[in-house]
Structures are given as C-alpha cells and as structure tokens.
Amino acid sequence: MLSDIEIAQNAEMKKITEIAASIGISEDEIEPYGHYKAKISDGVYDRLKDKEDGKLVLVTAVNPTPAGEGKTTVTIGLGEAMAKIGKNAVIALREPSLGPVFGIKGGAAGGGYSQVVPMEDINLHFTGDMHAITSANNLMCAMLDNHIQQGNELNIDPRRVQVKRCLDMNDRALRNIINSLGGPLNGIPREDHFVITVASEVMAVLCLASDIFDLKKRLGNILVAYTYDGQPVYCKDIKANGAMTVLLKDAIKPNLVQTLENTPAIMHGGPFANIAHGCNSVRATKTALKLGDYCITEAGFGSDLGAEKFLDIKCRFAGIKPSCIVLVSTVRSMKYNGGVEKSELTNENMEALKKGSANLGAHIDNLKKFGVPVVVAINHFYADTDEEIELVEQFCKEKGAEFAVTKCFAQGGEGSVELAEKVVSACEKENNFHFLYDTDMPLYDKIEAIAKEIYGADGVDYTKDAKKSLDEFIKLGADKMPVCMAKTQYSLSDNPKALGRPTGFRITVSSASLSNGAGFVVCQTGSIMTMPGLSKSPAAYKIDIDENGNTVGLF
C-alpha cells in the first residue's frame, strides 16, 4: 500500500469553489488560499444562523497506545461514508501543530484512504492560523515586559507574571529561560517560559470565541500578572487585546478543505487535549452544524480527556449537544492494555484481548454518564482475526453500546458504511445529554467529580502550591468556571504506566493556572510537558525534498 503522502499527492482534488458550492457556500463567501483551501467568511454563519442545526456526532477514542488507534482517520472515513449512504455531512477537525509533525506523533490529517487534502499544506503552514496565534500571544508578552520596562505604572511584580511566550515547535531548550539580559536597555531580567502554541491560552480563546468581538473581550480577560500587593492584572490593563485581535482577524475564520473523496471538511484551531481543552473551534463546529445535516467532529486523545472537555466545556459554552458519540478503539490497543508488547500485537491473543477490554469498558461507561447514545468503532487492522472481532462485539453488546468495524484506512468511505448507518440510527435514539457537573458546584468538588467519575480515582490530593493557586482563583471569582484537567493521555490515572482500568489510586494536582479569557481553571497532574522536546530520532529526519521538488517522508 502507498504511504499516506503518496496517496495524498495522487489525489484528484476539486477546486475549493466546487467544494464550497456543494454545501451551499457561494464563491463570494470564501477567501481562497490557492486552489484547494479557503477561509469561510463571517457572512456564511450570519446568513444561516436561523437555520436548524444538523445532528452533532462526536468522535473520541480509548487511551492512545503505541499501536495507534486512528481517531482522525475514522472521523474522516465516517464523513466520506455518510456521502456514500446519501447523507449531507460536514467534518469539523482540528488543525495540526508543527511540533508533532516534526516530532513523534505525526500530523492530524488522517491516514490511508481517509485523509483531508491538500495534506502537505494542512500539516505544515496551512493558512497561517498557528503563526497568527503565536504572534498574538508573543505580542501580549512583549507588551507586558515593555510596560514593566517603561515605568511599570501598574506596579506589576515581575516574579508573578502568569503568561508564557509560545512557539509552534518542540523545543525543550526554551521551556525555562531568563530574559532581558544585557543591561538596562534590554528590560528587567526575569524568569520566563515558553509553551507550544497549541498549549497557549490564546489558542483556547480563539477556539471558544463566538465572534471577533467576543474574541477581543476574552483576550482582554487573560490574567497576565499580579501586582506587588497581589492584585490581578489583565491583558486589557496593558492595552494589548485590541492589537492582538487585529492579528487574529483572519485566523478566527474557519478553514475549508476536502477529503480524498471530495467531501467537505472544516479545519480550525488545535488545542492539545492533554494540556488544553482539545477541540476545534466553536465557530467551525457551529458553522458545520448549519451547513450539513450531520456535523462529525472529534476531540483529542481518549474520552477521559478530549471528550470530557468537549462535553463539559465546549458544549456548555457553545450551547450545543451531541446526538451520538463514536468511540474508536482497536483490537491491538486492547491487547496492549492486556499486557502484550507492541512487537507481538499482530498475534492472536484472546486472553490479553479480554483482559485489555477493561479499558474500552471504562470509556463506554464514562460516555454513557453524559446520557448520549454510544457507538463503538473498531478500526480494523490486517492482523485482526474473526474470533477477536467477535469477542469485542459481544463485549460491547454487554456494555449496551452499538458496534461497527471500520476499514476506512484501506477502503475510504466504503469501508465505513456500516459505521455510518449505525451512527445515523443512533442519532435518532433517545438523548438525555447532561453535563458531568454543575458549574455552581464548589471548585474542589468539580475537580473531584472528574477524578472520581471519569478517571476512577478514589480522590484528589493537592500540592501546597496548587491549593494556594486554586484558593486565589476562588477569590478572583473563578470558582464558577468549568475545570480543564491537564493529565497524561496514556492512562485513565495520572500515571502513564497504569494501563487498562486502574483502581485504588488518587490523583495529585501538582499546579493550577487560571485561563480567565478562555473561561476555565486548569489543573495540572503529573509531569505534563507544555513544551515538548524532540526525540532522539524525530520525524524531521525523514522529511525532505526529492530531486523533483516533491515533499517526501511526511508520514
């Protein structure tokens, strides 16, 4: 089989104007970036705002394993399959970050014959949204340091700066730095930090903003520092949010692309789910709900992270609710959770499969707590046996979840027809969607609810620094905000090595921060890196230009 990039480079793409027309968008309502990608203008949603929303389908997954689960691939394959069965569906995805593209994880444009294209553009600079977000964030930081340098009228304590600079690249050397060295003309020296762009609050704000005016307001509410006497200083106080909004005026518009089968896909925003809220933008999802009878969207990593945040944060802020949740898993991931080494996953092992199914069961149980019909999608790999598939199907039935096998990686939309039919059926079932917690609950109770109900923890412990920060946020009025947990994606617990469905553990909140502009409190557990590093052999080693000027090695 051809590599992902070879398949993408051989794709017969339609002009983006044709893709737009297929979902009722006129040529005047898009802003093309070349022939095959475009921004959707603000006027499209305004024109359709009174139209009834389509059905919202959320695609999530089990905890990721080294074997790979293919959640984005299944999302795209499902969108292609909906067209095969005559349904008008629009996919809404996140944008890739350059960090994973050149690191280990890879891109976020799907795989095999279920990809969005132009794949190279999407995985690299795309329409410049990541650069705009990076620039806006770093403008805020520059204006903060400049304010301190130019007399510090607000009496800002340089030791209590809350915002960090960002870069859309894995660069461990920038995690912890000292800035403004070299004498008085270069500013006031202080400890500073970098995070990857997708972990920045500006990214979260862009993805949750309803329009450009809401964007400006949210940017203004970012907590940037404290004064020497402990008073909060916000982005609007240093007069940065207006200029930041100007930098983001194009980035806030959703991007339109297409799948390999020329079905429409909207890609916009890309916060990580282990350190941020892990969903594409509210604007993209709400636009897709107006344009299609079905909007198929995804949330990052496992349901314990991306889906919980999608349901408790994004749905709450956007006023939307899912009609169905698709839970992606693989036979291989279950065997891995059952103790099988990666090199042995192609061998049939019914005992390990049965043991590892506990992880899938935990995710099914978690999702059912939100009152939405669940369909399990098993992403099929060549080594899966009929006996293994039958065991998983029986397990899902016992758990009260619908079940379908998808072969979209190898077959595109045709390979997900069964899944599409199950999803359409599930969307018509009784739906009692509700949030896991009420925002009026005390802040510590909300954290406990997530830890106990979703992770299966016995309780929550707090470091002295974390408790001090949370108590400070409560005094600032943030106790009514939802909670965004930063946690390892590899386990339901905060220990990445605890596979399956761990029990008898407690979650430790090591630190906390306030994303006041985004509107949530972030609780960090374990050692989550907000600025990843490159591995000993990063993907960048394999990416190159061949003698014909074509990109090679990009997956």
Coordinates of all heavy atoms in Angstrom, one line a residue, residues 196-254:
I196 N 4.3 25.3 23.9 CA 4.0 25.1 22.5 C 2.7 25.9 22.2 O 1.8 26.0 23.0 CB 3.9 23.6 22.1 CG1 3.9 23.4 20.6 CG2 2.7 23.0 22.8 CD1 4.1 22.0 20.2
T197 N 2.6 26.4 21.0 CA 1.4 27.3 20.7 C 0.1 26.7 21.0 O -0.8 27.4 21.5 CB 1.5 27.7 19.2 OG1 2.7 28.4 18.9 CG2 0.3 28.5 18.7
V198 N -0.1 25.4 20.8 CA -1.4 24.8 21.0 C -1.7 24.7 22.5 O -2.9 24.4 22.8 CB -1.4 23.4 20.3 CG1 -1.5 23.5 18.8 CG2 -0.3 22.5 20.7
A199 N -0.7 25.0 23.4 CA -1.0 24.9 24.8 C -1.3 26.4 25.3 O -1.6 26.5 26.5 CB 0.2 24.3 25.5
S200 N -1.2 27.4 24.5 CA -1.3 28.7 24.9 C -2.8 29.1 25.2 O -3.7 28.5 24.6 CB -0.8 29.7 23.9 OG -1.6 29.7 22.7
E201 N -3.1 30.0 26.1 CA -4.4 30.4 26.3 C -5.0 31.1 25.1 O -6.2 31.1 24.9 CB -4.5 31.3 27.6 CG -6.0 31.6 27.9 CD -6.2 32.4 29.2 OE1 -5.2 32.7 29.9 OE2 -7.3 32.8 29.4
V202 N -4.2 31.8 24.3 CA -4.7 32.5 23.1 C -5.3 31.4 22.2 O -6.4 31.7 21.5 CB -3.6 33.3 22.4 CG1 -4.1 33.9 21.1 CG2 -3.1 34.4 23.3
M203 N -4.7 30.3 22.1 CA -5.3 29.2 21.2 C -6.7 28.8 21.8 O -7.7 28.7 21.1 CB -4.4 28.0 21.2 CG -5.1 26.7 20.6 SD -5.5 26.9 18.9 CE -3.9 26.5 18.1
A204 N -6.8 28.6 23.1 CA -8.0 28.3 23.7 C -9.1 29.3 23.5 O -10.3 29.0 23.2 CB -7.8 28.0 25.2
V205 N -8.7 30.6 23.7 CA -9.6 31.7 23.5 C -10.1 31.8 22.1 O -11.3 31.9 21.8 CB -8.9 33.0 23.8 CG1 -9.7 34.2 23.3 CG2 -8.7 33.2 25.3
L206 N -9.3 31.6 21.1 CA -9.7 31.6 19.7 C -10.7 30.5 19.4 O -11.7 30.7 18.7 CB -8.5 31.4 18.7 CG -8.8 31.5 17.3 CD1 -8.7 32.9 16.7 CD2 -7.9 30.5 16.5
C207 N -10.5 29.4 20.0 CA -11.4 28.2 19.7 C -12.7 28.3 20.4 O -13.7 27.6 20.1 CB -10.7 26.9 20.1 SG -9.3 26.5 19.0
L208 N -12.8 29.1 21.5 CA -14.1 29.3 22.2 C -14.8 30.6 21.9 O -16.0 30.7 22.3 CB -13.8 29.2 23.7 CG -13.3 27.8 24.2 CD1 -12.9 27.8 25.7 CD2 -14.4 26.7 24.0
A209 N -14.2 31.5 21.2 CA -14.8 32.8 20.9 C -16.0 32.6 19.9 O -15.8 31.9 18.9 CB -13.8 33.8 20.4
S210 N -17.1 33.3 20.1 CA -18.2 33.2 19.2 C -18.1 34.1 18.0 O -18.6 33.8 17.0 CB -19.5 33.5 20.0 OG -19.4 34.8 20.6
D211 N -17.4 35.2 18.2 CA -17.2 36.1 17.0 C -16.0 37.0 17.4 O -15.4 36.9 18.5 CB -18.4 37.0 16.7 CG -18.9 37.8 17.9 OD1 -18.1 38.3 18.7 OD2 -20.1 37.9 18.1
I212 N -15.6 37.9 16.5 CA -14.4 38.7 16.7 C -14.5 39.7 18.0 O -13.5 40.0 18.6 CB -14.0 39.5 15.5 CG1 -12.6 40.0 15.6 CG2 -15.0 40.7 15.2 CD1 -11.8 40.0 14.3
F213 N -15.7 40.1 18.3 CA -15.9 41.0 19.4 C -15.8 40.2 20.7 O -15.2 40.6 21.7 CB -17.2 41.7 19.3 CG -17.3 42.5 18.0 CD1 -18.2 42.1 17.0 CD2 -16.6 43.6 17.8 CE1 -18.3 42.8 15.8 CE2 -16.6 44.4 16.7 CZ -17.5 43.9 15.7
D214 N -16.3 39.0 20.7 CA -16.2 38.1 21.9 C -14.7 37.7 22.0 O -14.2 37.6 23.1 CB -17.0 36.8 21.7 CG -17.0 35.9 22.9 OD1 -17.0 36.4 24.0 OD2 -16.9 34.7 22.7
L215 N -14.0 37.5 20.9 CA -12.6 37.3 20.9 C -11.8 38.4 21.6 O -11.0 38.1 22.5 CB -12.0 37.1 19.5 CG -10.5 36.9 19.3 CD1 -10.0 35.6 19.9 CD2 -10.1 37.0 17.8
K216 N -12.1 39.6 21.2 CA -11.4 40.8 21.9 C -11.7 40.8 23.4 O -10.8 41.1 24.2 CB -11.9 42.1 21.2 CG -11.2 43.3 21.8 CD -11.7 44.6 21.1 CE -11.1 45.8 21.8 NZ -11.6 47.1 21.2
K217 N -12.9 40.6 23.7 CA -13.3 40.6 25.2 C -12.5 39.5 25.9 O -12.0 39.7 27.0 CB -14.8 40.4 25.3 CG -15.3 40.4 26.8 CD -16.8 40.2 26.8 CE -17.2 40.2 28.3 NZ -18.7 40.0 28.4
R218 N -12.5 38.3 25.4 CA -11.8 37.2 26.0 C -10.3 37.4 26.1 O -9.7 37.1 27.2 CB -12.1 35.9 25.3 CG -13.5 35.3 25.4 CD -13.7 34.1 24.6 NE -15.0 33.5 24.8 CZ -15.3 32.5 25.7 NH1 -14.4 32.1 26.5 NH2 -16.5 32.0 25.8
L219 N -9.7 37.9 25.1 CA -8.3 38.2 25.1 C -8.0 39.3 26.2 O -7.0 39.2 27.0 CB -7.8 38.8 23.8 CG -7.8 37.8 22.6 CD1 -7.5 38.5 21.3 CD2 -6.7 36.7 22.8
G220 N -8.9 40.2 26.3 CA -8.7 41.3 27.4 C -8.8 40.7 28.8 O -8.2 41.3 29.7
N221 N -9.5 39.6 28.9 CA -9.7 39.0 30.3 C -8.6 38.0 30.7 O -8.6 37.4 31.8 CB -11.0 38.3 30.3 CG -12.2 39.2 30.4 OD1 -12.1 40.4 30.8 ND2 -13.4 38.8 29.9
I222 N -7.6 37.8 29.8 CA -6.5 36.9 30.1 C -5.7 37.5 31.4 O -5.3 38.7 31.4 CB -5.5 36.7 29.0 CG1 -6.2 36.0 27.8 CG2 -4.2 36.0 29.4 CD1 -5.4 35.8 26.6
L223 N -5.5 36.7 32.4 CA -4.7 37.1 33.5 C -3.3 37.0 33.2 O -2.7 36.0 33.0 CB -5.0 36.1 34.7 CG -4.3 36.4 36.0 CD1 -4.7 37.7 36.7 CD2 -4.5 35.2 37.0
V224 N -2.6 38.2 33.1 CA -1.2 38.3 32.7 C -0.2 38.3 33.8 O 0.9 37.9 33.7 CB -1.0 39.4 31.7 CG1 -1.8 39.3 30.4 CG2 -1.2 40.8 32.4
A225 N -0.6 38.9 35.0 CA 0.3 39.0 36.1 C -0.4 39.4 37.4 O -1.6 39.6 37.3 CB 1.4 40.0 35.7
Y226 N 0.3 39.5 38.4 CA -0.2 40.1 39.7 C 0.7 41.3 40.0 O 1.9 41.4 39.7 CB -0.1 39.1 40.8 CG -1.1 38.0 40.7 CD1 -0.8 36.8 40.2 CD2 -2.4 38.2 41.2 CE1 -1.8 35.8 40.1 CE2 -3.4 37.2 41.1 CZ -3.0 36.0 40.5 OH -4.0 35.0 40.4
T227 N 0.2 42.3 40.8 CA 1.0 43.4 41.3 C 1.7 43.0 42.5 O 1.5 41.9 43.1 CB 0.0 44.6 41.6 OG1 -0.8 44.2 42.7 CG2 -0.8 45.0 40.4
Y228 N 2.6 43.9 43.0 CA 3.4 43.7 44.2 C 2.4 43.5 45.4 O 2.8 42.8 46.4 CB 4.3 44.8 44.5 CG 5.6 44.8 43.6 CD1 5.8 45.6 42.5 CD2 6.6 43.8 43.9 CE1 6.9 45.6 41.8 CE2 7.7 43.8 43.1 CZ 7.9 44.7 42.1 OH 9.0 44.6 41.3
D229 N 1.3 44.1 45.4 CA 0.3 43.9 46.5 C -0.7 42.8 46.2 O -1.8 42.8 46.9 CB -0.3 45.2 46.9 CG -1.0 45.9 45.8 OD1 -1.0 45.4 44.6 OD2 -1.6 47.0 46.0
G230 N -0.5 42.0 45.2 CA -1.3 40.8 45.0 C -2.6 41.0 44.2 O -3.4 40.1 44.1
Q231 N -2.7 42.1 43.5 CA -3.9 42.4 42.7 C -3.7 41.9 41.3 O -2.6 41.9 40.7 CB -4.2 43.9 42.6 CG -4.5 44.5 44.0 CD -5.7 43.9 44.7 OE1 -6.8 43.8 44.1 NE2 -5.5 43.4 45.9
P232 N -4.8 41.3 40.7 CA -4.6 40.8 39.3 C -4.5 41.8 38.3 O -5.0 42.9 38.4 CB -6.0 40.0 39.1 CG -6.9 40.8 40.0 CD -6.2 41.2 41.2
V233 N -3.7 41.5 37.2 CA -3.5 42.4 36.1 C -3.9 41.6 34.8 O -3.5 40.5 34.6 CB -2.0 42.9 35.9 CG1 -1.9 43.8 34.7 CG2 -1.6 43.6 37.2
Y234 N -4.8 42.2 34.1 CA -5.4 41.5 32.9 C -4.8 42.1 31.6 O -4.3 43.2 31.6 CB -6.9 41.6 32.9 CG -7.5 40.9 34.1 CD1 -8.0 41.7 35.2 CD2 -7.6 39.6 34.2 CE1 -8.5 41.1 36.3 CE2 -8.2 38.9 35.3 CZ -8.6 39.7 36.4 OH -9.1 39.1 37.5
C235 N -5.0 41.4 30.5 CA -4.4 41.8 29.2 C -5.0 43.1 28.8 O -4.2 43.9 28.2 CB -4.8 40.7 28.2 SG -4.1 41.0 26.6
K236 N -6.2 43.4 29.1 CA -6.8 44.7 28.8 C -6.1 45.9 29.5 O -6.1 47.0 29.1 CB -8.3 44.7 29.0 CG -8.7 44.4 30.5 CD -10.2 44.2 30.6 CE -10.6 43.7 32.0 NZ -12.0 43.3 32.1
D237 N -5.6 45.5 30.7 CA -4.9 46.6 31.5 C -3.6 47.0 30.9 O -3.2 48.2 31.1 CB -4.6 46.0 32.9 CG -5.9 45.7 33.7 OD1 -6.9 46.4 33.5 OD2 -5.9 44.8 34.5
I238 N -2.9 46.1 30.1 CA -1.7 46.5 29.4 C -2.0 47.0 28.0 O -1.1 47.1 27.2 CB -0.6 45.4 29.5 CG1 -1.1 44.1 28.8 CG2 -0.2 45.2 30.9 CD1 -0.1 43.1 28.6
K239 N -3.3 47.0 27.7 CA -3.8 47.5 26.4 C -3.3 46.7 25.2 O -3.0 47.3 24.1 CB -3.4 49.0 26.2 CG -4.0 49.9 27.3 CD -3.5 51.3 27.2 CE -4.0 52.2 28.4 NZ -3.5 53.6 28.3
A240 N -3.3 45.4 25.4 CA -2.8 44.5 24.3 C -3.9 43.9 23.5 O -3.6 43.4 22.3 CB -1.9 43.5 24.9
N241 N -5.1 43.7 24.0 CA -6.1 42.9 23.4 C -6.6 43.4 22.1 O -6.9 42.7 21.2 CB -7.2 42.6 24.3 CG -7.9 43.9 24.8 OD1 -7.3 44.8 25.2 ND2 -9.3 43.8 24.9
G242 N -6.6 44.7 21.9 CA -7.0 45.3 20.6 C -6.1 44.9 19.5 O -6.5 44.4 18.4
A243 N -4.8 45.1 19.6 CA -3.8 44.7 18.6 C -3.8 43.2 18.4 O -3.6 42.8 17.3 CB -2.4 45.3 19.0
M244 N -3.9 42.5 19.5 CA -4.0 41.0 19.3 C -5.1 40.6 18.5 O -5.0 39.7 17.6 CB -4.1 40.4 20.7 CG -2.8 40.5 21.6 SD -3.1 40.1 23.3 CE -3.3 38.3 23.1
T245 N -6.3 41.2 18.7 CA -7.5 40.9 17.9 C -7.2 41.2 16.4 O -7.6 40.4 15.5 CB -8.7 41.7 18.4 OG1 -8.9 41.5 19.8 CG2 -10.0 41.3 17.6
V246 N -6.5 42.2 16.1 CA -6.2 42.6 14.7 C -5.4 41.5 14.1 O -5.6 41.0 12.9 CB -5.5 43.9 14.6 CG1 -5.0 44.2 13.2 CG2 -6.5 45.1 15.0
L247 N -4.4 41.0 14.9 CA -3.5 39.9 14.4 C -4.3 38.6 14.1 O -4.0 37.8 13.3 CB -2.4 39.6 15.4 CG -1.2 40.5 15.4 CD1 -0.3 40.2 16.6 CD2 -0.5 40.4 14.1
L248 N -5.5 38.5 14.8 CA -6.3 37.2 14.7 C -7.5 37.4 13.9 O -8.3 36.4 13.8 CB -6.6 36.8 16.1 CG -5.5 36.4 17.0 CD1 -5.9 36.2 18.5 CD2 -4.8 35.1 16.5
K249 N -7.7 38.5 13.2 CA -9.0 38.8 12.5 C -9.2 37.8 11.3 O -10.3 37.5 11.0 CB -9.0 40.2 12.0 CG -8.1 40.6 10.9 CD -8.2 42.1 10.5 CE -7.3 42.5 9.4 NZ -7.6 41.8 8.2
D250 N -8.1 37.3 10.7 CA -8.3 36.3 9.7 C -8.3 34.9 10.3 O -9.0 33.9 9.8 CB -7.2 36.4 8.6 CG -7.4 37.6 7.8 OD1 -8.6 38.0 7.5 OD2 -6.4 38.3 7.4
A251 N -7.4 34.7 11.3 CA -7.3 33.4 11.9 C -8.6 32.9 12.6 O -8.8 31.7 12.7 CB -6.2 33.4 13.0
I252 N -9.5 33.8 13.0 CA -10.7 33.4 13.6 C -11.7 32.8 12.6 O -12.7 32.1 13.0 CB -11.4 34.5 14.4 CG1 -12.5 34.0 15.3 CG2 -11.9 35.6 13.4 CD1 -13.1 35.1 16.2
K253 N -11.4 32.9 11.3 CA -12.3 32.4 10.3 C -12.0 30.9 10.0 O -10.8 30.6 9.8 CB -12.2 33.2 9.0 CG -12.6 34.7 9.1 CD -12.2 35.4 7.9 CE -12.5 36.9 8.0 NZ -12.0 37.7 6.9
P254 N -13.0 30.0 10.0 CA -12.7 28.6 9.8 C -12.2 28.3 8.4 O -12.4 29.1 7.4 CB -14.1 27.9 10.0 CG -14.9 28.9 10.8 CD -14.4 30.3 10.4

